[in-house]
Amino acid sequence: MELLQGRIRDYAWGSRTAIAELQGRPVPSNGPEAELWLGAHPGAPGTVQRDGRPVSLTELLVAEPGHWLGERLVGRFGTRLPFLLKVLAADSPLSLQAHPDAEQARAGHAADVGRVNYVDPYHKPELLVALSEFDALCGFRDPGESAAAIAAFGVPALEPVVAALRAGPAGLREAVRLLLSWPRAERAGLVAAVLAADDGPAPADAELVRTLAAGYPDDPGVVVALLLHHVRLAPGEGIWMPAGNLHAYLRGTGVEIMAASDNVLRGGLTAKRVDVDELVRVLRFEVLTEPVLRPETVAPGVLTWPVPVEDFALHRVEVAAGSPGARLTLPGPRVVLCRAGKLTVDDGVGVVTLGAGQAAVGTAAGGPLTLGGDGEAFVATCGLR
């Protein structure tokens, strides 16, 4: 193992406290800090030290793929790290969005000459585990519930949307298309009419609309949000977003792991481009029956959140002072983030000591991981078994 220096992304929705506090830096930070990237994604690759200078992890993977990734990963994913580990810290809502599946990404990238929707040929399933209380919209709820929620606002212009939803799951596609295709000149009036409802709506729905409209007063995504599950995760709970699920993170801090891709199709709550036709083509218009993913214990002090992909797996490890520590037999390469305390991480090739907010990376050549000390860590690996 060796120290990995991550990169912070300064998107406007980011927190000025969460990542700085994690890393023990002064708060507030000079500007928003939205995500700490720990991986080899070309958009912001982490670095390791070589001869006293930082070297991009992406560069090392290309130069020594067999050493870093192993033959099995190279055969499956090529000379790239298939996952990206992040700390995500949101002070305001991210856009409504969905991601293509692997086949859609490959075909879309090949056909999208201008790289408008598909910037790479990879899918982007995501798992987020809450570190703090975390608010999110994720997956379609029962369309009958959505119809009742929207009808309660008493906006006549929304009656066609309500009628579509009352047709059941088959009407979800039409409801989404109606809302996202709302005439641009009438969008501010639609949101204003929804905000004007002073009785009837459920308090939670009314609060959600007010929160979203404060930042996006002319965006029909404010109403699209009522079609989705609104969840409030407790620390340790997760949400799993496979391809085609519409979602948005609203507020909170979490550890996120995803397939390393930039393919995002937006559906509102954004000033960026929304391609309604392509989004509707990619979305899965089905009810997500259980949006919250709870961890499973796989060994004393070791939790995981099982997901059905080969690109990544995530474990949380807690060790206490004086204990024998934890030993994990996980496929390499591995990225380890210390969330709290002070830990030693040993893969049989190298030993590093991590404090809160620090990270380490190890190659496929390493053996089982041994974690000691007193603290908590998240371990990211590929999902191949």
Side-chain angles (χ1 to χ4, degrees), residues 42 83 96 117 131 154 249 336:
F83 62 84
L96 284 166
N117 288 321
L131 296 179
Y249 302 142
V336 180

Short mmCIF file of all heavy atoms in Angstrom, two decimals, residues 42 83 96 117 131 154 249 336:
data_model
loop_
_atom_site.label_atom_id
_atom_site.label_comp_id
_atom_site.label_asym_id
_atom_site.label_seq_id
_atom_site.Cartn_x
_atom_site.Cartn_y
_atom_site.Cartn_z
N PRO A 42 -9.79 9.85 -15.40
CA PRO A 42 -8.96 10.86 -16.08
C PRO A 42 -9.39 12.30 -15.81
O PRO A 42 -8.60 13.23 -16.00
CB PRO A 42 -9.11 10.51 -17.57
CG PRO A 42 -10.32 9.64 -17.66
CD PRO A 42 -10.41 8.91 -16.36
N PHE A 83 -13.54 1.43 -11.08
CA PHE A 83 -14.37 2.10 -10.09
C PHE A 83 -13.75 3.42 -9.67
O PHE A 83 -12.55 3.65 -9.84
CB PHE A 83 -14.59 1.20 -8.86
CG PHE A 83 -13.32 0.84 -8.13
CD1 PHE A 83 -12.76 1.69 -7.17
CD2 PHE A 83 -12.68 -0.36 -8.37
CE1 PHE A 83 -11.60 1.35 -6.50
CE2 PHE A 83 -11.51 -0.72 -7.72
CZ PHE A 83 -10.97 0.14 -6.77
N LEU A 96 -31.57 16.26 -11.19
CA LEU A 96 -32.21 14.99 -11.48
C LEU A 96 -31.45 14.34 -12.63
O LEU A 96 -31.18 14.99 -13.65
CB LEU A 96 -33.66 15.21 -11.90
CG LEU A 96 -34.66 15.54 -10.80
CD1 LEU A 96 -35.95 16.06 -11.40
CD2 LEU A 96 -34.94 14.30 -9.94
N ASN A 117 -24.17 13.51 -25.24
CA ASN A 117 -24.77 12.72 -24.16
C ASN A 117 -23.84 11.64 -23.62
O ASN A 117 -23.88 11.32 -22.43
CB ASN A 117 -26.06 12.05 -24.65
CG ASN A 117 -27.19 13.03 -24.86
OD1 ASN A 117 -27.37 13.96 -24.08
ND2 ASN A 117 -27.96 12.84 -25.92
N LEU A 131 -22.83 9.17 5.44
CA LEU A 131 -21.98 9.44 6.60
C LEU A 131 -22.70 10.33 7.60
O LEU A 131 -22.40 10.29 8.80
CB LEU A 131 -20.68 10.11 6.16
CG LEU A 131 -19.76 9.29 5.27
CD1 LEU A 131 -18.52 10.11 4.90
CD2 LEU A 131 -19.35 7.99 5.94
N GLY A 154 -53.68 20.89 -6.41
CA GLY A 154 -54.82 21.57 -7.01
C GLY A 154 -54.48 22.49 -8.16
O GLY A 154 -55.09 23.56 -8.32
N TYR A 249 -29.40 13.68 -5.49
CA TYR A 249 -28.96 13.85 -4.12
C TYR A 249 -29.28 15.28 -3.70
O TYR A 249 -28.98 16.22 -4.43
CB TYR A 249 -27.47 13.56 -3.99
CG TYR A 249 -27.08 12.17 -4.44
CD1 TYR A 249 -25.89 11.94 -5.12
CD2 TYR A 249 -27.91 11.08 -4.20
CE1 TYR A 249 -25.53 10.66 -5.54
CE2 TYR A 249 -27.57 9.80 -4.61
CZ TYR A 249 -26.38 9.60 -5.28
OH TYR A 249 -26.03 8.34 -5.69
N VAL A 336 -8.26 2.55 -0.04
CA VAL A 336 -8.70 2.59 1.35
C VAL A 336 -8.78 4.05 1.79
O VAL A 336 -7.80 4.79 1.67
CB VAL A 336 -7.75 1.81 2.28
CG1 VAL A 336 -8.24 1.87 3.72
CG2 VAL A 336 -7.63 0.35 1.82
#
